[in-house]
Amino acid sequence: MGATFYTEVQAGSDLSGLETVAQQSGEGKWRLRGIKYFTSNIGQADAAIITAKPTPPRPGAKGVATFFAPAYLPDGRPNWKILRLKDKLGTVTVPTGEVELRDTEAHLLGTLDIGIYIALEILTIARIDNSTAGLGLARKALWEAYLYGNERRAFRKRLVEHPLYLRDLVEMEAKLQATLLYTLTAAKTFSDVAYAERPPYGPAYHYARLHTHIVKNLAAWTSIDITRYSMELMGGIGFLEEFPMAKIHRDALVTAIWEGTSNIQSLDMAEAFYRKDAGKALLEDLATRINKLRDEEARHKLTAALQNIKDFATEALKDGVELHSKKLLAMLGKAAAATHYQGWAEDSGEQWATALSKIYLYTEVIDKEIDSNLVRKGGEGLQWML
Ligand SMILES: Cc1cc2nc3c(=O)[nH]c(=O)nc-3n(C[C@H](O)[C@H](O)[C@H](O)COP(=O)(O)OP(=O)(O)OC[C@H]3O[C@@H](n4cnc5c(N)ncnc54)[C@H](O)[C@@H]3O)c2cc1C
């Protein structure tokens, strides 16, 4: 098992501020000294990827190098000291600690001049992992709520027989499926370029990276929303520790924080979208997909949503993109997820799938009320969980 030691007290979102130093010790090895403030999997990991600044340190992110270090030295001694374990709100089955690197023996990954690229590429992969893990939590929570709703009776009927209860479930199912599909698309896009691209990377890499920022944010908040509301759909027992919902929700909460918070995803998305010009490719790809949709309403509404995004992105430039980047991130996420989901649903030929994709379009992209027919048909898409 592995771990990443990046974050320090003064350097979390801003990796350029890290103070851990690396000194070459001969035979190609390095020795690292510093304190890492968040280290997950500690005590379990066999090795860690560690960021540090070789001496004499160069300022800024370009001065960051990335190292690989085993947890134990060949003579069995630990290669770092665990100072303490964190007392966390969630993910308590994964120990997270503070670690002191005291002449930790390490191997340089790549070369000194591309250290920050390596560190960030690892985070790109982690964003995809984080997204799928968050959606896994959402699936577990929704599944529990669905099973509960099929058993529990209130007002003389099973809960799923109440239109409003079923509506809640199908809306969440649509959100989960749409986000998962877009996450898997982002993973495939990255996997297609990852082996060919090398720092400082070309347009294909930045295009793939753009997807991962959008998906990371979308999946984290989908996970948080679904795990929270599934808890409510189980009523009072959803809140009890003897049932799994509270733990699942607590575990979901961190998915928006680690591997870069929502604001950091927004800023990094904006960098890829505008500075690396990957936004143009994304909007073109979505336009092509939308034009191929067979459902006329979806085609028109998504074309309008895409135009809205283009206008917003242009307006944002006038005021400084930073302030508007999170809204743009959310708009892109929902439009992209809706486009992929609609295309997939049409190809599947399943009525429940086209109903769910319409529900996603109405509730997440265009704010149009859904009707009982859509809810009933969409509900058929949940029955596999029984
Ligand atoms: C349970 C847990 C496990 C973790 N495990 C690991 C691990 O294994 N390895 C590791 O390296 N790290 C780990 N982390 C650390 C995590 O990645 C960082 O906490 C996270 O990246 C945020 O950094 P920070 O805590 O320094 O927050 P800060 O950088 O101080 O940010 C605080 C707030 O300010 C916002 N902010 C920062 N800069 C800007 C800006 N320019 N514009 C707008 N808003 C901004 C952020 O979005 C955030 O909301 C873990 C964290 C947790 C909670």
Side-chain angles (χ1 to χ4, degrees), residues 4 6-7 12-13 38-40 88 254 257-258 261 263-264 267:
T4 49
Y6 289 6
T7 307
S13 304
F38 279 103
T39 58
S40 291
K88 300 183 287 180
V254 81
I257 298 174
W258 62 18
T261 59
N263 280 3
I264 296 307
L267 298 172

Side-chain angles (χ1 to χ4, degrees), residues 14-209:
D14 182 7
L15 283 180
S16 67
L18 63 87
E19 290 176 356
T20 294
V21 292
Q23 205 142 30
Q24 202 151 19
S25 65
E27 295 168 11
K29 286 199 187 141
W30 292 74
R31 291 193 183 278
L32 313 183
R33 276 192 300 281
I35 294 183
K36 293 293 180 178
Y37 192 61
F38 279 103
T39 58
S40 291
N41 230 1
I42 198 66
Q44 302 187 145
D46 302 303
I49 305 289
I50 309 177
T51 47
K53 286 195 172 177
T55 50
R58 283 193 295 152
K62 293 271 179 201
V64 174
T66 304
F67 298 87
F68 174 88
Y72 294 95
L73 296 167
D75 63 8
R77 280 179 299 130
N79 203 10
W80 49 71
K81 181 177 164 60
I82 301 172
L83 298 178
R84 74 175 184 108
L85 291 179
K86 306 282 194 192
D87 189 6
K88 300 183 287 180
L89 175 68
T91 63
V92 292
T93 49
V94 179
T96 300
E98 285 169 35
V99 158
E100 185 177 357
L101 307 171
R102 295 175 167 177
D103 285 328
T104 293
E105 276 190 30
H107 306 270
L108 180 67
L109 290 177
T111 50
L112 288 178
D113 54 327
I114 61 164
I116 188 65
Y117 291 105
I118 295 173
L120 293 179
E121 187 166 329
I122 290 165
L123 281 183
T124 301
I125 297 164
R127 281 194 290 278
I128 296 169
D129 292 347
N130 190 63
S131 304
T132 49
L135 296 175
L137 291 170
R139 168 56 68 204
K140 170 73 174 156
L142 182 53
W143 202 325
E144 292 285 346
Y146 184 62
L147 293 181
Y148 181 81
N150 271 280
E151 293 283 330
R152 173 79 169 168
R153 298 179 76 85
F155 303 98
R156 296 178 306 283
K157 282 197 282 194
R158 288 182 304 137
L159 291 174
V160 287
E161 287 163 349
H162 293 281
L164 191 51
Y165 195 94
L166 185 61
R167 176 188 179 147
D168 287 338
L169 288 168
V170 296
E171 282 185 2
M172 286 197 290
E173 182 68 30
K175 206 166 158 176
L176 177 49
Q177 289 195 14
T179 309
L180 180 61
L181 184 70
Y182 184 34
T183 298
L184 297 177
T185 307
K188 169 85 170 67
T189 308
F190 184 70
S191 156
D192 286 347
V193 303
Y195 294 102
E197 291 277 333
R198 292 284 174 271
Y201 306 121
Y205 185 92
H206 295 300
Y207 175 66
R209 178 167 68 83

Side-chain angles (χ1 to χ4, degrees), residues 331-360:
M331 288 166 92
L332 285 168
K334 289 176 179 183
T339 303
H340 285 280
Y341 195 32
Q342 180 66 31
W344 172 82
E346 289 180 8
D347 290 348
S348 77
E350 299 282 356
Q351 285 196 359
W352 60 263
T354 47
L356 286 175
S357 68
K358 270 293 171 74
I359 289 169
Y360 187 79

